[in-house]
Every structure is written in structure tokens, then in C-alpha cells.
């Protein structure tokens, strides 16, 4: 870990670029406690997962504008109701002009309802399962969502976790660029070995600073490149 820059130096550089400590602190994300995370229903989380799947590679505001129609079309995203939809009904929704015409992403709603339902049966609820997951292995949770879910690879799973208030960092282009340029990752960001290295770096900064992974990620993004946060 000798090559790792002190987090205090990263913070100082980010603050200089964002108008001082107050300006930087105003940009930091807010998270929830474990107890607060458990208050989400499985339907709420399936809705958020599905929204993030549709927002991936698409204009986020358009997805947001159409989401009330999705709530109606998918019965409030109650997993057991979504799982009652037939292939023909899913096809109809994938071609509905009030929604977004994308069959694979529409089918992902059904597939991810299976994931939510399976985890809830084993752990009580998806929210409890996520709340109990240790932050020092957050990339393990990313991998699980990708493996058990559909279209949750890349940053989609992490963006979902961030949106629900679970503490996680994000591998934005700026964060990846920093880690590469400082020689902190020897493998690809999609590899198990690469993710292990990234997790170790963020764990190091968390122990050093006492800050959340989300704070560290945002500060790092603000300290370099184009500030893609």
C-alpha cells in the first residue's frame, strides 16, 4: 500500500477544485443506516433495480418521466405479481408506446423479480440482505447482483446500491483513470483480481479517513479528470 496517496491530499485537491471544503462537502452523497435500509419493501427495490437497468446507456430523465407508467404496468413492482406475467404480456409491455420499447430490459424486470423473490425467501427481504452485507466486501455484493440478477453488471448494480443509500463506491471513468494512473490496479476492472485490488484500496482509505466509501469515491472523482461523480 506504499504507493497509495494519502486521502487527506486527495481531499485537499478536490476541495481546491470545488471552491473549498464547504463546496466539496455539499457534493457528497448521503447514505442510510443499516436500520433505515431495512425499511425498503421488496417492491420498492425491484422498482429501483428496474429503473437503473433502463437508465443504463439511456437518458436518465426520460426513464424518470416514464416511471409512473412502469409502476402501473408492473403492479407496483410487487415481485409475486410481476412473476405472474406471461411471455405474451411482457412482449406487450415491451412494445407499449407509454413505456420504453426494449424487450431485453423489459424481460430483465421479470428475471430480477425472481432474484428478489429468491433472496427474500432466504433472508427475509432483499433490503435486510443488502443492509447486512459488509462494506469492506462491497464488490462481493456487486458480483452477487451480477450473478443472480440480469443486466446488473458494470456500474448498474453499484448505482442501484447508491440510489437506495447503501454505502458503496462507484467506478466512474475518473475513478478508474486515477487508479490506473497511480498503478493501484494490475488487472481489468471486470476481473475478480482487479476488484479485489480496488476493494483493498478503498478499504485502506476508509480506515485512514473514517469516511464512507461513497464519500471517498465522490472526493476522488472530484479531485481528477472531468469530475464524473
Amino acid at each position: 500500500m506504499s504507493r497509495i496517496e494519502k486521502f487527506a491530499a486527495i481531499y485537499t485537491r478536490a476541495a481546491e477544485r470545488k471552491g473549498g471544503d464547504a463546496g466539496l462537502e455539499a457534493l457528497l452523497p448521503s447514505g442510510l443506516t443499516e436500520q433505515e435500509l431495512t425499511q425498503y419493501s421488496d417492491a420498492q427495490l425491484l422498482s429501483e433495480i428496474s429503473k437503473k437497468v433502463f437508465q443504463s446507456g439511456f437518458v436518465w430523465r426520460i426513464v424518470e418521466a416514464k416511471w409512473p407508467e412502469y409502476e402501473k404496468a408492473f403492479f407496483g413492482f410487487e415481485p409475486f405479481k410481476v412473476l405472474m406475467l406471461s411471455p405474451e404480456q411482457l412482449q406487450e409491455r415491451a412494445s407499449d408506446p407509454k413505456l420504453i420499447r426494449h424487450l431485453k430490459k423489459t424481460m430483465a424486470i421479470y428475471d430480477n423479480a425472481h432474484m428478489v423473490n429468491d433472496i427474500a425467501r432466504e433472508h427475509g427481504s432483499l433490503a435486510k440482505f443488502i443492509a447486512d452485507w459488509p462494506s469492506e466486501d462491497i464488490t462481493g455484493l456487486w458480483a452477487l447482483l451480477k450473478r443472480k440478477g440480469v443486466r446488473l453488471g458494470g456500474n448498474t448494480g453499484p448505482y442501484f446500491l447508491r440510489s437506495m443509500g447503501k454505502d458503496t463506491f462507484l467506478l466512474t471513468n475518473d475513478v478508474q483513470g486515477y487508479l490506473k494512473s497511480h498503478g493501484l490496479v494490475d488487472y481489468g476492472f471486470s476481473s475478480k483480481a482487479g476488484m479485489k485490488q480496488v476493494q483493498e484500496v478503498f478499504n485502506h482509505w476508509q480506515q485512514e479517513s473514517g469516511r464512507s466509501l461513497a464519500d471517498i469515491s465522490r472526493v476522488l472523482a472530484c479531485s481528477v479528470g472531468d469530475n464524473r461523480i
Side-chain angles (χ1 to χ4, degrees), residues 6-188:
K6 293 289 187 182
F7 184 74
I10 298 171
Y11 185 95
T12 297
R13 187 168 61 250
E16 288 173 350
R17 302 181 80 191
K18 295 301 176 183
D21 290 1
L24 178 59
E25 291 291 334
L27 295 174
L28 301 186
S30 57
L32 299 180
T33 66
E34 290 185 8
Q35 183 60 39
E36 289 170 332
L37 285 171
T38 62
Q39 303 306 307
Y40 285 111
S41 68
D42 289 330
Q44 287 175 307
L45 293 188
L46 179 58
S47 175
E48 192 61 27
I49 286 171
S50 303
K51 185 188 294 184
K52 288 295 173 281
V53 167
F54 273 92
Q55 287 177 329
S56 178
F58 202 68
V59 180
W60 284 37
R61 59 180 174 78
I62 293 178
V63 178
E64 287 283 359
K66 288 181 176 287
W67 212 248
E69 293 296 332
Y70 273 92
E71 292 283 349
K72 295 176 187 177
F74 287 91
F75 314 112
F77 287 94
E78 291 289 348
F80 74 95
K81 293 182 180 179
V82 172
L83 292 174
M84 292 176 66
L85 289 168
S86 68
E88 292 75 21
Q89 290 173 314
L90 289 167
Q91 289 268 4
E92 289 172 2
R93 283 158 174 76
S95 59
D96 187 338
K98 292 183 293 184
L99 305 178
I100 294 169
R101 296 175 181 177
H102 197 300
L103 179 59
K104 289 184 178 180
K105 290 189 176 186
T106 300
M107 293 300 296
I109 296 175
Y110 181 88
D111 293 330
N112 287 326
H114 268 298
M115 176 190 69
V116 173
N117 194 50
D118 290 346
I119 291 175
R121 281 191 299 181
E122 185 175 353
H123 299 277
S125 72
L126 177 60
K128 183 179 184 304
F129 176 74
I130 290 174
D132 290 343
W133 195 280
S135 65
E136 60 267 23
D137 181 36
I138 198 63
T139 57
L141 183 54
W142 296 4
L144 182 141
L145 291 172
K146 179 181 178 181
R147 184 174 69 254
K148 289 186 175 290
V150 173
R151 304 184 78 91
L152 294 177
N155 267 330
T156 305
Y159 272 122
F160 156 66
L161 296 173
R162 172 69 67 83
S163 70
M164 70 173 283
K166 176 69 175 178
D167 188 27
T168 185
F169 55 86
L170 297 175
L171 286 177
T172 63
N173 288 343
D174 283 334
V175 171
Q176 289 188 36
Y178 176 95
L179 295 171
K180 285 180 181 177
S181 65
H182 285 73
L184 299 175
V185 178
D186 302 317
Y187 305 92

